[in-house]
Amino acid sequence: LNYKTLFKIVITAIFFILVFTQVDFNGFSKNLFNLSFSHILGALICLILQSVIVAKRWGVIVKKLARPVPYINILMVNFRSLSSSLVLPNIIAEPAVKAYLLKEYEVPVADAITSVIIDKLFVLVGLLSLTIMVGPCIFFLYPETQIWINIYVLIIVILILVNIIFRLKLSSS
């Protein structure tokens, strides 16, 4: 047992202790049993659908960067990375585990990390695009606030910069 593995076990144990000492399990169980079956089924369908779409998008990126990995393997890596985010901070766990698990399919680590970063950029672009589409509605609902215009312009600038960076990356490879 090396120090790196021991460090990981200690960090995971600390997170477990924090979670189990801070969560009100009685309140959690009451809320859980108050959910209707249709809510649980709807949430499960959304989770699966989101994972299928993410895996398809990420598989295309991996194929362009490194080598084709079968879709079912990408989907399984995606589900495994989601499960890791249950015990580790999500912002770190999911992308790191995705990049790590791609080693099983002979994808170089640099390409795996790049694929995860590009995937996150696609998510950012999608969210920014959605914000740009919804932005005019906000102006009509809250015309008196100047801050919405500033946020809207900032999002457009960020979207343009991400587009330029992505095009430069594609043209260099």
Side-chain angles (χ1 to χ4, degrees), residues 8 58 62 66-85 88 92-116:
K8 291 176 187 177
W58 187 44
V62 170
R67 58 185 300 276
V69 177
Y71 174 74
I72 192 70
N73 295 346
I74 291 286
L75 186 62
M76 289 300 113
V77 166
N78 190 52
F79 278 126
R80 288 166 64 189
S81 69
L82 285 174
S83 66
S84 70
S85 66
L88 297 171
I92 298 167
E94 186 182 345
V97 170
K98 277 183 175 180
Y100 177 77
L101 291 175
L102 273 183
K103 289 189 331 183
E104 294 176 6
Y105 305 105
E106 299 172 3
V107 174
V109 174
D111 290 338
I113 292 170
T114 304
S115 73
V116 170

Side-chain angles (χ1 to χ4, degrees), residues 48-63:
I48 292 171
L49 185 63
Q50 182 253 353
S51 295
V52 166
I53 292 169
V54 166
K56 183 65 178 169
R57 181 184 65 226
W58 187 44
V60 170
I61 296 169
V62 170
K63 182 179 178 182

Side-chain angles (χ1 to χ4, degrees), residues 26-36 40:
N26 290 330
F28 174 76
S29 62
K30 286 178 186 175
N31 287 333
L32 185 64
F33 289 118
N34 285 335
L35 289 175
S36 69
I40 295 172

Side-chain angles (χ1 to χ4, degrees), residues 11-23:
I11 293 297
T12 302
I14 290 171
F15 280 124
F16 273 125
I17 291 168
L18 286 174
V19 166
F20 288 119
T21 59
Q22 299 298 319
V23 172

